[in-house]
Amino acid sequence: MQASRARLFKEYKEVQREKVADPDIQLVCDDSNIFKWTALIKGPSETPYEGGVFQLAFSVPEQYPLQPPQVRFLTKIFHPNVHFKTGEICLDILKNAWSPAWTLQSVCRAIIALMAHPEPDSPLNCDSGNLLRSGDVRGFQSMAKMYTRLAAMPKKG
Amino acid sequence: MDSEDDMHDANDVDSYEEDYYSGDAMYSDDDDDAGYEFLDNASDDSDDVSVSRQQKNYTILKEDDIRQRQEDDITRISSVLSISRDSACMLLRRFNWNVSNVHEAWFANEDAVRKAVGMLDTTNIKPPKAGELPCGICFESYTLDSVSTAACGHPFCNTCWAAYISTSINDGPGCLTLRCPIPSCGAAVGVDMVNMLTSDEDKKKYRRYLLRSYIEDNRKTKWCPAPGCDCAIEFDLGSGSYDVTCYCSYSFCWNCTEEAHRPVDCETVSKWIMKNSAESENMNWILANSKPCPKCKRPIEKNQGCMHMTCNPPCKYEFCWLCLGQWSDHGERTGGFYACNRYESAKQEGAYDESERRREMAKNSLERYTHYYERWATNQSSRQKALADLLQMQTVHLAKLSERQCQPETQLKFILEAWLQIVECRRVLKWTYAYGYYLPEQEVAKRQFFEYLQGEAEAGLERLHQCAEKELHTHIDGNASQEEFNNFRTKLAGLTTVTRNYFENLVRALENGLSDVDSHGASSKTSTSKHAAGTSKSKSGKGKGPTKGGGSTRTDDLTGWSCDQCTYMNPKNATSCQICHTSR
Ligand SMILES: [Zn+2]
Ligand SMILES: [Zn+2]
Ligand SMILES: [Zn+2]
Ligand SMILES: [Zn+2]
Ligand SMILES: [Zn+2]
Ligand SMILES: [Zn+2]
Ligand SMILES: [Zn+2]
């Protein structure tokens, strides 16, 4: 508990310093609980998610960093490896390939990489996985773009 | 699990036998079938089956033996490849503890092998400079003495290392392939670091996984499946029968690790076990230990191993537990056919409509299964009972009998041998019922022959079981004379031998798929012509020399005659009883 708190505090300070260095990721620690974080990540360019801003919720276990944090999308996203309803993410480093050398920041980077390179063979969203697997890249992209526009674009008011 | 790896190719067995039988192994005279994989003739000049049967195609390893072998293998690789023991251990584990595969892969492509197991080339890695180093897990800075690194040089504090390794050890055997925490690094974290950095409890667990890996990842070794047993068995692949017996006395099939099941093959056993679990709800009643007496209808409990039941006084009706038929109809007294092993589906005449017929068929198939299952299960529990009796004999009765008969216990060994034989025969007989269940109904001649053999086996075993169970007690508890006891000795020892021979032949005949029936029909069951025809397995001139007494064959045992005096099943060609010498 003490070790995970100390480590999260280090990450917190690191995030404050790096804010400008990585403009695509904005990590925020909950005001009252250092084990709860949220992140805003920018959809990578040249993908259907470009222009969108996606919110992630982190729940960090007491065994962190020996155990991985739980992460899910709060923003709706049409992606083969993200559960459409719950936002749950299928990513090996969040499961058996976790290493304590990863940080919340590097997890965000890995998720951005996953958005750019879906793994249709381990789908959590079957519809989108099937579109990609059947080679209907266009169909997939238009669906993904539509949801990006609906859910991840700042409303122009 | 890869079934092809597990179920070894029958061709291996054949080719092995070719080699084996081209050697100068001798054959005892009563063994007429060189093609069987019963390697009971491997000892040089012994005709004694009980001695030569101990020739094993497997080695039992105790925990110390396993550790010793593992250490030896590691030492060998470490000295041949000039690498640390730590690296040798990782290499061996990567190649499933196969020393020659390690050599081969290493000399074929050392770089690839190094990469695959995480053995880094350390020449370009500089040792950390003096001063403070940041730990890659907790991000604190530490002096050099509180920091450790794998071969890669990535620094982590000792506390974080311990937690990292411990987490992995508690996650399971994956800890044996642990790597540096830096995701892109891949340097192996081996037994040296585990020993240096973790708690005693974690070290113990790690060593346990390493030991298990040595047995479980090796193609030639398996753990004994008996609960509480720590032994493993190393098996000479391709050397015939898979039945092995551990030091703990548990016998099992090395191939499928079910209990020993000769003469039935592994596939049939797994089908049968699945069938049993699918039908278990329907079959519970069979396992109940009492049945109503067929005469007086009072429940009578089966508390003895043999199938001969005698109802409580005043009824005293004697009947067969299996078929509930009158006991006097069974074999010995009538010299008749022991038929309660046979399943005959009651065929009803008359017209059925389609649904009635289907219902009838479903009922019949369950009835058919029930028949075989009940006999399978009954022999199973008879065997358990016989095992318990054997133990009782060893611990209590033998000493008592020794006192009463004024004979040293060593001279009473024939009794234990009889009980061991009963235990083994119950096992074989049990599996013949699974065999019978899967024997195709349309192979009528085969079925008839099979049922005949099985019936004889059952009758012979009943005689032995009854003699060892009931007659023995008149000598333990009653006051039979010395002479009577000596007669009993001759009888029991004789029955043991006869029954053993019969069952060994039965096992071979069934393992051979009753192939004699194909060529000769059920009525002439000779196996000698098989050799004249020359099968691929028996090389001419090696298969069998001239037989003792001019043609004692296996078949003679099977179609022998039962002595009127003492009920022995004598070989056909014997003109007088081999036990009591009464002429035929
Ligand atoms: Zn540390
Ligand atoms: Zn490293
Ligand atoms: Zn054992
Ligand atoms: Zn088997
Ligand atoms: Zn009765
Ligand atoms: Zn019967
Ligand atoms: Zn006789």
Side-chain angles (χ1 to χ4, degrees):
Chain A
M1 180 74 156
Q2 207 45 53
S4 54
R5 189 179 286 276
R7 154 85 185 241
L8 283 168
F9 188 60
K10 295 253 174 210
E11 288 193 44
Y12 173 77
K13 286 197 287 187
E14 185 69 16
V15 162
Q16 305 306 102
R17 276 204 296 123
E18 245 187 46
K19 231 173 214 166
V20 196
D22 198 339
D24 294 340
I25 301 167
Q26 197 189 331
L27 254 172
V28 186
C29 179
D30 188 285
D31 283 344
S32 56
N33 184 352
I34 200 166
F35 293 96
K36 300 276 179 222
W37 294 62
T38 51
L40 293 172
I41 56 176
K42 285 190 184 153
S45 55
E46 289 165 50
T47 71
Y49 312 108
E50 184 170 4
V53 175
F54 298 83
Q55 195 178 8
L56 301 170
F58 285 76
S59 171
V60 184
E62 285 177 16
Q63 297 82 16
Y64 183 79
L66 296 169
Q67 302 288 338
Q70 286 174 11
V71 193
R72 61 189 186 90
F73 274 91
L74 290 178
T75 311
K76 278 258 174 290
I77 177 170
F78 187 79
H79 186 283
N81 310 109
V82 182
H83 195 284
F84 191 67
K85 286 218 173 77
T86 63
E88 197 187 330
I89 304 166
C90 178
L91 182 58
D92 58 351
I93 64 144
L94 292 175
K95 291 168 185 156
N96 49 9
W98 170 255
S99 157
W102 291 96
T103 60
L104 300 184
Q105 182 86 14
S106 58
V107 166
C108 289
R109 254 178 257 130
I111 291 171
I112 292 173
L114 182 70
M115 289 166 81
H117 304 283
E119 294 279 349
D121 289 332
S122 56
L124 273 175
N125 180 337
C126 296
D127 291 340
S128 110
N130 286 340
L131 280 174
L132 269 187
R133 243 186 303 186
S134 64
D136 189 356
V137 179
R138 264 238 191 115
F140 163 75
Q141 287 187 335
S142 67
M143 287 292 283
K145 241 183 229 160
M146 184 187 87
Y147 279 107
T148 303
R149 213 176 307 120
L150 281 176
M153 297 281 199
K155 303 269 184 305
K156 290 184 183 118
Chain B
M1 188 179 289
D2 189 346
S3 64
E4 266 188 282
D5 268 357
D6 268 7
M7 305 294 177
H8 298 293
D9 196 335
N11 293 333
D12 289 344
V13 178
D14 283 354
S15 60
Y16 177 86
E17 285 191 350
E18 292 273 305
D19 294 339
Y20 180 82
Y21 285 105
S22 61
D24 274 324
M26 289 189 44
Y27 297 89
S28 62
D29 284 336
D30 56 358
D31 178 26
D32 63 338
D33 240 11
Y36 293 118
E37 50 188 18
F38 215 61
L39 300 183
D40 56 4
N41 301 304
S43 64
D44 285 336
D45 49 5
S46 171
D47 279 350
D48 185 345
V49 177
S50 66
V51 172
S52 52
R53 259 197 314 176
Q54 288 162 7
Q55 191 71 25
K56 283 187 197 150
N57 50 1
Y58 59 92
T59 315
I60 307 170
L61 305 171
K62 290 188 184 154
E63 197 166 318
D64 288 344
D65 304 330
I66 301 169
R67 287 196 197 287
Q68 189 58 52
R69 280 169 173 240
Q70 194 170 28
E71 289 299 309
D72 291 349
D73 286 351
I74 292 171
T75 306
R76 201 140 32 119
I77 289 294
S78 140
S79 64
V80 172
L81 306 185
S82 308
I83 55 178
S84 69
R85 292 182 62 79
D86 190 73
S87 299
C89 180
M90 284 182 295
L91 263 182
L92 276 161
R93 207 217 54 79
R94 175 70 172 67
F95 289 93
N96 297 330
W97 303 96
N98 184 319
V99 172
S100 55
N101 283 2
V102 171
H103 285 159
E104 216 170 280
W106 182 268
F107 292 118
N109 189 346
E110 183 181 324
D111 287 348
V113 172
R114 278 181 177 276
K115 200 161 173 230
V117 296
M119 289 169 66
L120 298 192
D121 182 3
T122 52
T123 44
N124 294 327
I125 294 166
K126 294 170 193 89
K129 291 175 231 93
E132 297 221 317
L133 285 171
C135 165
I137 293 177
C138 66
F139 299 169
E140 302 283 351
S141 289
Y142 292 92
T143 53
L144 269 183
D145 57 335
S146 339
V147 168
S148 300
T149 69
C152 57
H154 291 133
F156 303 96
C157 77
N158 292 343
T159 315
C160 285
W161 266 121
Y164 176 65
I165 298 172
S166 175
T167 304
S168 171
I169 288 174
N170 287 294
D171 269 357
C175 63
L176 298 179
T177 52
L178 191 62
R179 301 297 171 95
C180 165
I182 299 297
S184 56
C185 172
V189 176
V191 64
D192 284 354
M193 295 198 71
V194 172
N195 284 335
M196 205 161 61
L197 293 161
T198 62
S199 68
D200 287 348
E201 197 190 325
D202 284 341
K203 279 178 212 160
K204 214 168 121 191
K205 281 187 195 159
Y206 189 87
R207 275 212 305 275
R208 188 82 223 154
Y209 281 126
L210 208 53
L211 189 80
R212 279 182 50 186
S213 161
Y214 189 72
I215 297 302
E216 290 163 26
D217 295 335
N218 192 327
R219 241 169 74 85
K220 290 188 198 162
T221 51
K222 280 179 189 172
W223 292 112
C224 167
C229 178
D230 291 330
C231 293
I233 311 275
E234 181 185 56
F235 190 83
D236 300 333
L237 293 176
S239 60
S241 165
Y242 283 118
D243 281 8
V244 299
T245 304
C246 181
Y247 285 140
C248 71
S249 87
Y250 185 68
S251 291
F252 66 99
C253 167
W254 191 85
N255 194 32
C256 70
T257 68
E258 288 295 339
E259 58 165 347
H261 56 67
R262 291 188 74 195
V264 179
D265 61 33
C266 301
E267 203 188 328
T268 309
V269 168
S270 92
K271 263 198 296 188
W272 178 253
I273 287 172
M274 260 157 59
K275 176 84 181 160
N276 290 351
S277 67
E279 301 284 359
S280 64
E281 296 246 313
N282 291 326
M283 295 301 129
N284 276 337
W285 62 273
I286 278 175
L287 305 173
N289 226 14
S290 76
K291 287 184 182 179
C293 163
K295 196 169 171 206
C296 70
K297 308 295 177 213
R298 281 187 305 176
I300 166 166
E301 203 178 316
K302 182 173 185 298
N303 51 15
Q304 287 186 306
C306 86
M307 305 300 164
H308 183 171
M309 305 298 296
T310 306
C311 186
N312 298 323
C315 170
K316 288 189 184 167
Y317 183 65
E318 293 181 53
F319 64 97
C320 164
W321 172 264
L322 284 178
C323 69
L324 299 177
Q326 201 170 322
W327 186 256
S328 54
D329 293 343
H330 283 73
E332 44 202 276
R333 208 172 314 165
T334 57
F337 199 49
Y338 192 87
C340 63
N341 61 317
R342 256 198 294 184
Y343 174 74
E344 279 169 71
S345 52
K347 288 190 195 84
Q348 278 176 280
E349 302 280 319
Y352 284 115
D353 72 28
E354 192 55 28
S355 67
E356 262 183 324
R357 198 162 73 206
R358 216 174 302 126
R359 219 174 306 134
E360 193 62 27
M361 270 163 62
K363 198 175 131 234
N364 273 347
S365 86
L366 189 62
E367 257 175 23
R368 180 170 180 276
Y369 168 72
T370 304
H371 171 93
Y372 288 100
Y373 179 74
E374 178 175 19
R375 280 149 185 77
W376 182 85
T378 310
N379 276 295
Q380 160 85 338
S381 54
S382 269
R383 181 171 183 273
Q384 293 312 116
K385 178 71 170 52
L387 270 172
D389 286 346
L390 172 63
L391 193 70
Q392 179 82 350
M393 198 60 67
Q394 279 169 319
T395 52
V396 183
H397 292 327
L398 221 53
K400 204 169 154 192
L401 194 63
S402 162
E403 287 297 315
R404 191 176 282 264
Q405 296 293 335
C406 302
Q407 301 204 18
E409 285 193 31
T410 48
Q411 285 179 26
L412 300 174
K413 265 209 303 233
F414 73 98
I415 296 173
L416 297 182
E417 276 163 19
W419 278 100
L420 280 168
Q421 194 57 48
I422 291 169
V423 169
E424 167 65 6
C425 289
R426 287 284 169 212
R427 190 190 66 68
V428 172
L429 199 53
K430 171 177 108 169
W431 286 111
T432 64
Y433 282 104
Y435 190 98
Y437 181 74
Y438 290 109
L439 197 57
E441 297 214 59
Q442 61 272 24
E443 299 207 37
V444 178
K446 239 178 216 189
R447 284 204 75 86
Q448 276 178 358
F449 185 40
F450 165 73
E451 274 158 5
Y452 170 76
L453 294 181
Q454 189 185 41
E456 289 295 306
E458 201 142 75
L461 176 55
E462 280 309 312
R463 269 197 298 274
L464 175 63
H465 206 154
Q466 198 168 330
C467 185
E469 196 168 54
K470 291 179 181 151
E471 288 183 40
L472 177 61
H473 273 273
T474 64
H475 296 280
I476 295 172
D477 306 323
N479 41 5
S481 70
Q482 184 82 47
E483 197 193 341
E484 282 169 311
F485 183 73
N486 284 340
N487 287 341
F488 168 75
R489 173 203 299 277
T490 316
K491 182 176 176 186
L492 187 62
L495 278 174
T496 305
T497 309
V498 169
T499 311
R500 176 194 302 133
N501 289 342
Y502 185 88
F503 270 78
E504 282 177 358
N505 288 326
L506 174 72
V507 164
R508 286 176 214 180
L510 297 187
E511 282 182 337
N512 203 22
L514 298 170
S515 58
D516 295 346
V517 179
D518 291 333
S519 40
H520 309 294
S523 51
S524 71
K525 305 143 207 141
T526 53
S527 57
T528 41
S529 55
K530 186 173 172 232
H531 298 288
T535 64
S536 62
K537 281 179 185 175
S538 69
K539 300 215 164 150
S540 58
K542 300 278 191 204
K544 180 170 169 60
T547 49
K548 174 172 64 184
S552 153
T553 67
R554 173 163 62 89
T555 322
D556 288 322
D557 286 342
L558 301 178
T559 57
W561 52 279
S562 172
C563 171
D564 293 339
Q565 189 70 30
C566 73
T567 74
Y568 275 118
M569 187 55 66
N570 285 294
K572 199 181 196 172
N573 62 344
T575 50
S576 63
C577 173
Q578 291 183 335
I579 301 305
C580 70
H581 308 296
T582 310
S583 55
R584 192 174 182 179

